[in-house]
Amino acid sequence: MAALVVPADWIRNWEKSGKNEFLQLCRNLAESKPSDDVTLRDIQAALYELAWQVIKGNLKLDQAASVLNDVMEFREDMSSILADVFCILDIETGCLEEKNKREHFTQLVGACLVLVPDTVLKERLDPETLESLGLIKQAQQFNQKIVKIKTKLFYKQQKFNLLREENEGYAKLITELGQDLSGNITSRLVLENIKSLIGCFNLDPNRVLDIILEVYECRSDQDEFFVPLIKSYMCEAQTLCHILGFKFKFYQEPNGETPSSLYHVAAALLQHNLIELGDLYVHLLPMDPSILEEHKREITEAKQIARKLTMVVVPSEKTEEKDKEKEKEEEKNEKPPDNQKLGLLEALLKIGDWQHAQSIMDQMPSFYAASHKSIAVALCQLLHITIEPLYRRAGVPKGAKGALNRPLKSKQAPKPAEAFEDLRKEVFTMLCYLGPHLSHDPVLFAKIVRLGKGFMKEYQNDKQEDKDRMDTLLSCFLSITDQVLLPSLTLMDCNACMSEELWGLFKMFPYQHRYRLYGQWKNETYNSHPLLVKVKAQTVDRAKYIMKRLTKENVKPSGRQIGKLSHSNPTILFDYMLSQIQWYDNLITPVVDSLKYLTSLNYDVLAYCIIEALANPEKEKMKHDDTTISAWLQSLASLCGSVFRKYPIELAGLLQYVTNQLKAGKSFDLLILKEVVQKMAGIEIADEMTQEQLEAMTGGEQLKAEGGYFGQIRNTKKSSQRLKDALLDHELALPLCLLMAQQRNGVVFLEGGEKHLKLVGKLYDQCHDTLVQFGGFLASNLSTEDYIKRVPSVDILCNQFHTPHDAAFFLSRPMYAHQILSKYDELKKTEKGNRQQQKVHKYIAACDLVMAPVHDSVVSLHPPKVWDDISPQFYATFWSLTMYDLAVPHNAYDREVNKLKVQMKAIDENPEMPPNKKKKEKERCTALQDKLQEEEKKQLEHVQRVLQRLKLEKDNWLLAKSTKNETITKFLQLCIFPRCIFSAIDAVYCARFVELVHQQRTPNFCTLLCYDRVFSDIIYTVASCTENEARRYGRFLCCMLDTVTRWHSDRAIYEKECGNYPGFLTILRATGFDGGNKADQLDYENFRHVVHKWHYKLTKASVHCLETGEYTHIRNILIVLTKILLCYPKVLNLGQALERRVHKICLEEKEKRPDLYALAMGYSGQLKSRKPYMVPENEFHHKELPVRNTGPTTVQNGPGSAGKPASTTSTGKPEEGASEENEKSKEKSQSAVKAASKTNNTTPKVTTSNGNGATNSTKLIKEKEDKDKSGKEKNKEKKEKTPAATPEAKAPGKEKQKEERPGKEEKTRETKEKTPKSEKEKFKKDEKASKDDKAKASGGESKSSAEKEREKEPSKERDVAKEAKTKESSKGEKAAVAGSLKSPVPRSESSESEREQKRRKLDTHSSPSHSSTVKVSIA
């Protein structure tokens, strides 16, 4: 304002420049448009300053009047602005004492009377000013007149009926409005009559309007008549709104009930825009804040109810709560006034005025309006009408006839949907406002679902046309499903039909969409509505009630209750059931049986709930000890297998979950896949198979199913087909196999870093076993085309996918078998010939065609050097064959056929079985019997063909370009060892394959060396196995030992199966030519010595593992020993040594490691039961002992022994000594072989332990090259070998004599120098103990086992003693006799010395009873 004040310079220079400046200022203000109010104030200020200058006398009156006259042109309302200025100045000058200023003001106003109308001035100036201006005559009369007019306007009520109205007029009015309107009577005609009545009877127009509305209420169906009448009669919305508001107010008393007709009238007037919603809304109760409070209160009450249902309540508290509830119910009985807003909303929905209805619903909390049934039903009806045309076109099922919904007459109603695109306009919005309360109208629910199905059919058939539009519609349907359909299903009471109807839509969605919807439903939907909160709590309460009473006996009634509960609230029910199963695994069977009353949708929800429970991040998948998988995971896995097998549930989600877990490097969940495959396909993982089962597993599919598994899992055809389809449809078969194959090593190197070794082993076994099981399932269920199409070649599997070789061949093996058989069938069809020889040739041709590319592809798997020893053909043949190809399990077939015969006999003898059932069962058994016999015949032909093929191939198998030893090494390293621990069947296969290669007389294959390498040192192999691998390795050793034991048991068998075979040659030339001389063969007695050596080596390795104290060593060797118990130990003293060590383990581990204790106790008991079958050593392999003296004698035996007193020995040193001495003195013995044999010829003839003269060893001579190589290899072996514990320590019976010998004293000092202090003390104690024992022992009695235990020496002492003996033996002792582990009769010191010397000498020779035959003379 300060800037706008007229400057004094303008007034002084008014004529020159001031006038123009002022006019310019006013013009600028009038033309500027920043804001009307601001401009108005600025103009008023300018005029006020100008007028004030006139009042002060600074500006002449005529000058000001002239300027004001010019200013009037700038704005239309300038006269009103000037009048406002005069009004202010009138008040201000009226208060001044200076009369001249008042006169100046009056003169100014008088000069401006031309500019401002008189009426405006009369409104704004005081009566006294007006009187002075001459505008009015007298101010006093003017004031009185104003009072009268105001009174008449604002206070006087015009009630014509008080004096002049006649009741007859109202009666005629009502008659006029209530007449029959069906004729030609129109609202215009009636309106004319009403006007006549008003005029004739002086009726009050407002009362007439009220009566019109009253009649309209009574005749609310006559909208077409009354709405135009009211519109023509009264066009003022406010008046109409006031009358309606007054009517609504009348019903706002307690217990008042507003009639529906009034709501209808108001809705109709709103729809036709005769009144505004905002004007009417303020007249309605309750107020919006009270509605919000009520909604919050409902949520709080729902949560309290939910909390009470989950709380454990004491009985005394229950009574208090009941009293409180009664009080609340009494309070509720006092009915509050109607919710008029909801009543109006319902009326609007009924007449189809969606816009106004939506506006009212927006004023309220979400779903508050729809939670009232009447509103929900009205909205559902509107939806029925809106979707009717589209539903008739795309939603009605074939053959269905539904009641037609007629469209609303009102033009303002929503337009019916003709296409899916129309649903987006209003239908989806209406459904979102309806929310879970669609449950009030199941028919509409079904219609919406069917529309969804119709849309999905169009969506799936859509060929990328309008893809964006269709995707938008799909997302809309998914949103409606999430926000409306699923919550509504929750509030429906046990409506299984709606659940199945909804599944018809859901099954068209991919499982990812479905599971996301289930997740929203379970975790979020129930928390969004008060009603759903209550329902959730009630469902959990009911689920608890059912689960507490669920047993095997009441499965059927409980199952029905579960079914009812699951139709509406499956997520909540299954979540609770799964939580119970995770705690109590004995519930699995009754729960699975009770789920047969579920709907298809419920089964799908169950699959989701199981996956969600498995993926729960809050649950630990390991127990607290970190060594075993948690029980809850095992329970859920077991439930998965049972549920998915029994019920038609989609597997894709579960399989994808396991795949994703494997991708993430987590193998715990493979347990689920294992259970699913086992239950659905009937393929078990069982390393603990009986011999009969293992035999059955080598047969065909039918024999496997009947006799190969612990549980007879029948009727797996449908379930295995479902599993196969799920894997193929979602392309998960190969990825799962590859991930499992890769994850085996991942368990150890990636996943198992911080985990307990025991757990890592279990996870590795689980991963491996599941791979074997899953691969077996694919091989037996996939068609040839499907399998070949999905499994790439071996080189791609290994090189591109980094699959381990054993797993790659395991996956490829069925493919080769399929291809060979299909190619064989093709060749048979092309050339018709039934002769067996022709068939064999065709089979071999088929094998060549199929396997030739495989031979080429395996070359890239290993370095080129490997193929110098074994051919790719041999490698591929070994890995591509199975036990089914090598032998026919005739016993297993006979056993199963006999079982079926027994069953048929039992069926005949069963009097209780109905005849029809008898007939069916007998037919089943007969059919099965025929199948088995046919399968046996088919396998027999196949095996004959395979053996014929191998016979032709064998000459090209082993190339042996380096050495035979290297060939066996490669064979064991690349073939036998990886495969023998792959599965139990593979373990048997490996042993059988070795035997087969031997029987085929394969060139360059040394059977003796192969068996020797297998049995010689098993420590490292055993220590590196997992628990299940140890079982398989034990089974492999058992099969190998079984073969060896059979050959050992009878000379005739040995001569027949080994006598003239190249694998048992003892002279192996470097040229690769196998001499056929009978003398070159290992004879039967020498073979028995070799077998004894192998038994001893096994004992030595076993004792070493037991003494390490390492958990893995002890566990694995106990498992292996248990597996080979039938074939080992056979020698009594070896068995006793093992028994003592195992007994010690039992004592040590009882409190520390219970699982080792259990294993040891189990083995110990079985070992004791095998004692009667053990034989002394001299029966196991014949040994001719020297002549024994009947009494103690002194025999001179080398220097220093003359004159020594006789002594007796209680225990002979085990063969360990001989074997280790031999290893210590190999280099010397190799250079002295010829000399030793000559010396033997000059000495008196002594029969050696192999039954032949010692001169036979001269035949074990090799060429110089082979000797050098052998020497180097043996030196290397000596360096690599670790000292192993012995089964029995050497008895120190001759310590006293050794101390007296001058040659021995120095060696004893050396021993003391080499031994650490603690060992020296122990050595002294042992010496003392041995002297005491000598004094106490009788001449011919054996020492007890306890004394033997005390006599054990540390390993270093034994090594020193061995060195001493080796040096002593090289001084000239030449005779050699094998020593026994235990002397059966007493003998003198001299005889003992002689026996020891002979045995040492025999060790220096190449006797087959020790390792020289196998290790020294074979290159």
Side-chain angles (χ1 to χ4, degrees), residues 475-691:
S475 65
C476 289
F477 269 106
L478 288 171
S479 299
I480 292 302
T481 307
D482 176 30
Q483 298 172 28
V484 183
L485 296 180
L486 288 175
S488 299
L489 185 66
T490 296
L491 296 179
M492 287 184 184
D493 191 18
C494 306
N495 199 330
C497 298
M498 290 301 103
S499 181
E500 285 294 345
E501 192 76 50
L502 190 58
W503 174 244
L505 171 62
F506 268 51
K507 68 184 179 184
M508 295 181 169
F509 296 148
Y511 76 89
Q512 294 93 336
H513 288 353
R514 296 202 310 271
Y515 285 4
R516 186 170 182 183
L517 289 170
Y518 299 151
Q520 291 280 107
W521 188 17
K522 177 177 177 292
N523 301 316
E524 294 184 18
T525 304
Y526 281 96
N527 301 323
S528 58
H529 314 295
L531 201 54
L532 294 180
V533 172
K534 289 181 190 174
V535 169
K536 179 179 179 180
Q538 290 164 0
T539 305
V540 172
D541 190 51
R542 184 65 184 163
K544 287 179 181 176
Y545 176 86
I546 297 169
M547 292 299 289
K548 281 177 186 174
R549 290 156 181 79
L550 179 63
T551 60
K552 289 181 181 177
E553 289 73 28
N554 66 355
V555 161
K556 208 166 187 178
S558 296
R560 288 196 178 103
Q561 293 177 10
I562 288 171
K564 281 184 180 180
L565 202 56
S566 69
H567 295 333
S568 304
N569 297 281
T571 55
I572 304 303
L573 172 65
F574 295 147
D575 192 45
Y576 180 75
M577 289 173 72
L578 291 174
S579 68
Q580 292 300 296
I581 286 170
Q582 289 173 51
W583 283 104
Y584 312 108
D585 57 356
N586 58 342
L587 278 173
I588 293 174
T589 304
V591 163
V592 171
D593 292 339
S594 68
L595 295 176
K596 57 184 172 184
Y597 299 103
L598 268 57
T599 62
S600 303
L601 176 67
N602 295 344
Y603 286 129
D604 200 48
V605 173
L606 177 60
Y608 165 76
C609 290
I610 289 173
I611 294 170
E612 189 185 49
L614 290 168
N616 188 352
E618 296 175 2
K619 289 251 184 185
E620 285 293 335
K621 296 192 175 180
M622 293 182 296
K623 287 185 179 175
H624 294 302
D625 58 1
D626 286 343
T627 58
T628 48
I629 296 172
S630 294
W632 70 267
L633 183 57
Q634 295 175 18
S635 299
L636 282 181
S638 178
L639 176 75
C640 278
S642 303
V643 165
F644 281 91
R645 177 185 180 272
K646 191 165 185 177
Y647 303 109
I649 306 175
E650 187 177 337
L651 286 148
L654 187 73
L655 294 173
Q656 188 64 56
Y657 167 74
V658 175
T659 307
N660 292 343
Q661 291 293 94
L662 284 173
K663 277 185 191 173
K666 298 172 184 175
S667 58
F668 288 103
D669 295 287
L670 276 175
L671 185 61
I672 302 150
L673 184 63
K674 168 188 161 187
E675 287 288 338
V676 168
V677 175
Q678 179 174 328
K679 299 278 173 58
M680 293 188 74
I683 298 174
E684 288 183 352
I685 299 176
D687 279 314
E688 297 294 341
M689 287 182 178
T690 62
Q691 191 59 37

Side-chain angles (χ1 to χ4, degrees), residues 205-207 209-210 213 234 238-248 283:
N206 290 333
R207 289 199 65 186
L209 179 58
D210 183 48
L213 292 174
M234 177 67 69
Q238 288 290 342
T239 306
L240 193 55
C241 206
H242 283 309
I243 293 172
L244 275 175
F246 180 76
K247 286 179 175 291
F248 277 111
H283 294 284

Side-chain angles (χ1 to χ4, degrees), residues 16 68 141 146 167 330 399 629 777 805 810 843 858 1162 1241:
K16 291 182 181 179
L68 289 175
Q141 289 177 353
I146 287 174
N167 291 334
E330 289 171 4
I629 296 172
F777 165 74
H805 298 167
F810 167 71
Y843 178 78
V858 299
N1241 291 333

Side-chain angles (χ1 to χ4, degrees), residues 56-73:
K56 286 181 181 178
N58 295 335
L59 190 65
K60 291 179 182 179
L61 182 63
D62 57 343
Q63 291 177 335
S66 173
V67 168
L68 289 175
N69 190 26
D70 294 337
V71 167
M72 288 298 129
E73 298 174 1

Side-chain angles (χ1 to χ4, degrees), residues 28-42:
N28 292 339
L29 289 173
E31 290 175 358
S32 64
K33 295 181 180 178
S35 172
D36 290 340
D37 294 339
V38 174
T39 305
L40 185 62
R41 284 198 299 272
D42 293 345

